[in-house]
Amino acid sequence: MRILIINGPNLDILGKREPEIYGTMSLWDIENRLKEKFSNVKIEFYQSNSEGPIIDALHRALDGVTDGVVLNPGAFTHYSYAIRDAVAALKVPVIELHLSNVHAREEFRRESVIAPACKGVIAGFGVRGYELAVEYILNQS
Ligand code: DQA
């Protein structure tokens, strides 16, 4: 089992960034917590503030050994057709994930141009969302 977890722009500063919305855990804390909880799974974490490297990371899931992808595209969620196309090219399930409940926030966050290409969306459960997404990938089919 190999799961790729990709985080987009501004998620590298989790813990410091609007903690009342995104919580106080750093991305590093989240990564360690997941690797501890799912110690029998190969979990690969990747973060970039740029669109191209996120697309390159998604392409890695075409390797035939990745079982699924958890993707928090950050603000790219709302306008990146290039990331959507990269997701659509994959055969493995991609779960779009948001720490916050994007539907309870500003209007522009309610639309995801990436979600239609994903297996499903998890939003609003904070860091627990990453675990839920990994559990889904582990228990699929
Ligand atoms: C986010 C929600 C996005 O709207 C925002 O731009 C982010 C984080 C979330 O995890 O709640 O950067 O994806």
Side-chain angles (χ1 to χ4, degrees), residues 9-11 17 21-22 72-78 97-102 105 108-109 130:
N10 299 309
L11 294 163
R17 172 195 185 196
I21 297 175
Y22 299 115
N72 185 344
F76 285 137
T77 305
H78 315 297
L97 178 121
H98 302 286
L99 291 153
S100 65
N101 179 356
V102 282
R105 300 180 62 197
F108 77 91
R109 294 188 205 276
Y130 286 91

Side-chain angles (χ1 to χ4, degrees), residues 34-120:
L34 277 177
K35 286 184 172 167
E36 216 171 276
K37 188 169 164 112
F38 300 101
S39 53
N40 54 336
V41 182
K42 189 164 174 10
I43 292 181
E44 270 190 36
F45 246 72
Y46 181 76
Q47 190 276 332
S48 175
N49 290 322
S50 307
E51 197 174 22
I54 292 171
I55 293 167
D56 292 338
L58 284 163
H59 290 175
R60 293 216 301 271
L62 285 165
D63 59 6
V65 294
T66 299
D67 298 286
V69 178
V70 181
L71 171 65
N72 185 344
F76 285 137
T77 305
H78 315 297
Y79 63 92
S80 176
Y81 297 114
I83 292 178
R84 176 203 174 121
D85 283 350
V87 169
L90 302 185
K91 303 265 184 299
V92 295
V94 178
I95 315 299
E96 181 178 306
L97 178 121
H98 302 286
L99 291 153
S100 65
N101 179 356
V102 282
H103 300 286
R105 300 180 62 197
E106 300 95 324
E107 185 74 38
F108 77 91
R109 294 188 205 276
R110 293 192 193 147
E111 197 200 349
S112 168
V113 300
I114 298 172
C118 292
K119 180 75 188 178

